[in-house]
Amino acid sequence: MTGGPAPGARVGIDVGGTFTDLVLTLPADGRVLHHKEPSTPDDPSRAVADGLAAILQDAGLPPGALAGVTHGTTIGLNAVIQRRGARIALVVTEGFRDVLEIGRSRMPSSFDLYAGKEEPLVPRERIVEIRARLAPDGAATATPDETELDRVAAALTATRAEAAAVVVLNGYADPAFEENVTDRLRDRLPGMRLAASATVWPEIREYERTLVACLNAYIQPLMRDYFDRLVERLAALGVTAPVYIAASNGGSLGLAAAAERPLETILSGPASGVAAAARLAAAAGLDDVVTFDMGGTSSDIAVVTGGRPEFATHTTVGGLPLILPVVAVGAIGAGGGSVVRVDEQGVLKVGPQSAGADPGPVAYRRGGTRPTVTDCYLVTGVIDPAAFLGGRMALDADASLKALAEVGAQFGWNGEDAAGRAAAAALQVATAGMAVELRKTLAQRGLDPAHFALVPYGGAGPTHAAVLAEEVGIAHIVVPPTAATFCALGAAGADLRRDLARSIRHRLDDEGAGRLREILAGLAEQAHSWLVAQGAVTGEPELLYSADLRYIGQAYELRVPLDGGALDAPSVAEAFHTDHERLYGFRDPEAPIELGTARLAIVAPTGGLPRPDLQAAGTGPVPAGHRSVLLPAGRFDAAVYARDGLRQGDALAGPLIVEQDDTTVLVPPGWSLEVGLAGDLHLHRSSRP
């Protein structure tokens, strides 16, 4: 391998169910390299190391020249979904042993009398009560003595748990009290990891805060083991650069911080892609976009307005509520590996089952027998079996034809076109389901699809984007240059980010505003201390202020962005009135307002991503060939272009196909294509076909 140090060279990694994606950015010469490595579910770090070695070889770069590695992972998420985390226990205030069992006392499904609730993360026999309690104002109403702590420690030892969460009622009101109880227990239990809930996330609502602390303890041993293996493999390659872990808020954090708070990384992969899409949209002069990430297992969307991704402070993970701030990403349907099937009622279905990486689609020739969306693309002519992954992985078109012909036969379709009809119908079913969810997502926010551009990525996103946009009424699509590895690109350019919160519960008056300023100042100090511990900051950090507010009597708060220089009561109230009116259509200036939770985020750049400019168009691109493509709207002849042959300013009218080594871009009839400054493809709907 040749090449010396490369200033600013960074690698972003996104581990998916089918492929592990890697992106190497080289700011010195403007290059961005990408690589897809088949995932190794038994040990994801093996695919990471193999892929990293391959992409460094392609770049001619020695491992020691890297400036940073940022890694997104779904290990914690999968552990929660599959319930294969650590054996944990819970210490909770006396009288609240059933906090996880009771939850919010809601039925899982209001219309299904047989629906079962999620099993509590900690069974009742591993929950230990303690005589420790705070009042809502933070005053201690019960403090454990040494005898009580000895009893609790003995009970915890009997549970044989690897880790435990400590939750004192109203612990958010005085985190130091809960941490003191935890420290005293920790002295008695040196072999067990203990964490105070208010240290993990000091927000009001006992069930949700308890669950956050338990989830963090549940995945921590598994994540620590993985991080240790990852560091060993990278060290064996000769990588000496600091390792960062992509976070659910679209940023990143240092390896030590991620090991301490792994719950912050649980939705890191999807969040990285949305952050990258927001940067792409800003560079293209777009403020409002919908991201569309279609990978091997599912399709996800997120909304970016005003150049910033939308955040959620309440989401679900594996059926359990999560109150940490995360980039709001929602699943809307099938992925490239989703299985096409006919159910017991004779209805054509796509997903939710996925063929995954092993055995994968039928065309992969790895033993798969059930056709998938990828097989549908192959049979309809959208993708070329000889050009998949740049020709590195040849697909078996005959196997796909046979599998889909069997699906068609169940509807009485026979002959040469039976497989094609089944494939086109399956794509139509998948698109209809996605369109319903996308429209619903925007409608819930009072947004019109026609005002948004679609940014597709993932291996199948650019392939399916125009069909989906046509269905929902979006007329502009922006396809990134490295679409299939876009989440990894987002990880490579992820800023350091930490979100902090502290519940207040105070009326918004002069005293309440003073309390808000005091808490935000404390959070800012905590944020700067955290940032110093992470290192590798190359720019001035930004502080983002917000607060949860509500009219007194309302059940839930509204998260409102705040101006850090205008935190007096009238300014905060006006910000709340404005947001409330935007969302709900009215404001009530006479109604008293209550402060719920103060929030602060610190964002620090770690280095920008290179954005190379393409050469300007010359005489125009020449198609590499033509092929027949079948879509639900009919069959048409499409010109085929290589993406690396396109130049800035090239303009083409559909129908056409653009092939690159990580995805295929479909431009149907009625759509046109123009190549942007940095190689992003802009698709515009010129007319209805």
Side-chain angles (χ1 to χ4, degrees):
M1 185 178 296
T2 61
R10 301 182 64 87
V11 170
I13 303 167
D14 178 47
V15 178
T18 306
F19 287 100
T20 293
D21 299 335
L22 299 96
V23 169
L24 172 61
T25 63
L26 298 164
D29 57 16
R31 285 189 297 160
V32 178
L33 284 73
H34 56 275
H35 176 80
K36 295 182 81 69
E37 185 76 21
S39 292
T40 50
D42 61 310
D43 181 2
S45 67
R46 191 168 74 252
V48 169
D50 292 345
L52 188 55
I55 200 168
L56 288 171
Q57 181 70 40
D58 291 344
L61 193 70
L66 287 177
V69 176
T70 305
H71 177 16
T73 175
T74 58
I75 291 176
L77 175 63
N78 293 337
V80 174
I81 291 173
Q82 299 168 15
R83 296 296 192 269
R84 55 177 182 84
R87 181 184 176 90
I88 63 171
L90 170 64
V91 178
V92 69
T93 293
E94 190 174 46
F96 290 83
R97 187 178 183 186
D98 295 310
V99 60
L100 295 179
E101 187 75 42
I102 295 172
R104 284 287 157 201
S105 298
R106 294 193 182 118
M107 295 177 64
S109 173
S110 301
F111 303 102
D112 185 356
L113 298 179
Y114 299 97
K117 21 179 321 196
E118 290 289 340
E119 287 292 323
L121 207 60
V122 186
R124 198 170 189 272
E125 61 269 19
R126 294 208 298 270
I127 299 179
V128 180
E129 293 183 317
I130 186 170
R131 286 190 287 276
R133 182 167 182 161
L134 293 174
D137 63 359
T141 59
T143 303
D145 57 21
E146 300 303 312
T147 302
E148 173 69 356
L149 291 169
D150 289 341
R151 180 191 67 80
V152 172
L156 278 176
T157 301
T159 66
R160 297 181 291 108
E162 298 175 59
V166 179
V167 182
V168 173
L169 187 68
N170 298 315
Y172 67 89
D174 184 6
F177 177 88
E178 193 179 71
E179 183 60 33
N180 176 262
V181 171
T182 305
D183 284 341
R184 293 162 69 194
L185 284 172
R186 196 177 283 125
D187 291 340
R188 292 164 165 81
L189 298 161
M192 184 182 296
R193 292 191 175 277
L194 297 175
S197 71
T199 302
V200 178
W201 196 250
E203 186 173 346
I204 197 169
R205 292 195 171 90
E206 300 307 306
Y207 168 58
E208 286 82 358
R209 191 177 75 256
T210 300
L211 193 54
V212 162
C214 290
L215 281 168
N216 197 73
Y218 188 65
I219 65 173
Q220 191 174 47
L222 182 70
M223 296 293 284
R224 282 183 179 275
D225 289 346
Y226 175 71
F227 291 154
D228 289 344
R229 292 198 306 274
L230 177 68
V231 169
E232 288 176 5
R233 289 189 183 276
L234 296 186
L237 283 177
V239 174
T240 57
V243 178
Y244 300 91
I245 305 299
S248 306
N249 57 19
S252 63
L253 61 163
L255 194 62
E260 190 64 29
R261 302 171 62 86
L263 193 60
E264 293 189 12
T265 73
I266 200 164
L267 298 172
S268 61
S272 296
V274 177
R279 285 194 290 269
L280 173 74
L286 299 170
D287 287 332
D288 301 329
V289 300
V290 175
T291 69
F292 174 50
D293 179 6
M294 188 171 179
T297 303
S298 64
S299 296
D300 301 325
I301 63 165
V303 178
V304 177
T305 55
R308 289 191 182 274
E310 181 185 71
F311 276 75
T313 53
H314 291 81
T315 187
T316 58
V317 175
L320 302 172
L322 180 68
I323 58 173
L324 293 180
V326 300
V327 173
V329 178
I332 64 165
S338 295
V339 172
V340 177
R341 60 189 175 87
V342 180
D343 69 10
E344 294 80 0
Q345 286 73 40
V347 178
L348 183 64
K349 297 287 184 69
V350 180
Q353 298 90 346
S354 174
D358 189 11
V362 174
Y364 280 14
R365 294 184 287 197
R366 292 179 178 169
T369 58
R370 299 183 297 173
T372 67
V373 170
T374 296
D375 294 299
C376 293
Y377 291 144
L378 192 60
V379 167
T380 55
V382 175
I383 63 176
D384 182 352
F388 192 70
L389 290 184
R392 291 188 289 116
M393 183 176 178
L395 301 182
D396 188 345
D398 290 338
S400 298
L401 279 166
K402 182 180 178 182
L404 283 162
E406 291 175 359
V407 172
Q410 297 183 61
F411 295 99
W413 301 335
N414 296 296
E416 293 183 3
D417 214 24
R421 291 180 66 183
L427 292 177
Q428 193 169 18
V429 168
T431 303
M434 294 175 188
V436 168
E437 293 299 321
L438 197 158
R439 286 197 197 97
K440 183 172 69 175
T441 297
L442 293 177
Q444 288 172 339
R445 294 156 174 78
L447 303 174
D448 183 355
H451 297 156
F452 284 76
L454 188 69
V455 179
Y457 49 94
T463 311
H464 209 92
V467 180
L468 176 61
E470 185 77 43
E471 185 79 13
V472 300
I474 290 177
H476 184 193
I477 299 170
V478 184
V479 183
T482 56
T485 53
F486 203 56
C487 289
L489 179 68
D495 297 329
L496 288 169
R497 175 169 178 144
R498 174 79 190 277
D499 285 86
L500 300 163
R502 175 86 182 273
S503 288
I504 306 173
R505 276 291 183 261
H506 198 291
R507 185 168 176 151
L508 180 58
D509 50 21
D510 289 342
E511 182 182 347
R515 180 70 175 139
L516 174 65
R517 291 191 295 271
E518 177 187 340
I519 288 177
L520 287 174
L523 293 180
E525 184 178 343
Q526 186 180 343
H528 282 294
S529 297
W530 174 86
L531 188 59
V532 169
Q534 309 310 301
V537 179
T538 60
E540 187 67 25
E542 179 184 12
L543 294 178
L544 304 175
Y545 299 89
S546 62
D548 296 350
L549 301 109
R550 65 181 179 183
Y551 292 122
I552 291 179
Q554 290 181 316
Y556 286 92
E557 299 91 353
L558 180 63
R559 184 185 183 200
V560 179
L562 300 176
D563 180 351
L567 294 174
D568 56 283
S571 298
V572 174
E574 178 56 29
F576 171 68
H577 290 314
T578 300
D579 256 23
H580 195 280
E581 185 173 26
R582 177 181 61 83
L583 283 172
Y584 302 115
F586 75 95
R587 62 166 63 202
D588 187 353
E590 304 304 318
I593 299 171
E594 185 179 49
L595 284 163
T597 299
R599 300 181 185 275
L600 179 140
I602 188 167
V603 183
T606 55
L609 292 174
R611 186 172 168 83
D613 292 343
L614 282 187
Q615 293 180 355
T619 58
V622 178
H626 292 76
R627 65 173 175 263
S628 178
V629 175
L630 175 65
L631 289 180
R635 185 175 291 277
F636 54 87
D637 184 66
V640 180
Y641 295 86
R643 187 158 185 174
D644 58 11
L646 300 179
R647 295 292 178 263
Q648 176 199 145
D650 280 340
L652 302 164
L656 62 93
I657 288 171
V658 178
E659 292 182 336
Q660 59 191 77
D661 58 2
D662 61 349
T663 191
T664 298
V665 183
L666 173 65
V667 185
W671 287 76
S672 62
L673 176 149
E674 184 175 358
V675 183
L677 186 66
D680 37 313
L681 305 182
H682 292 256
L683 279 62
H684 294 274
R685 190 179 66 203
S686 51
S687 65
R688 293 274 181 182

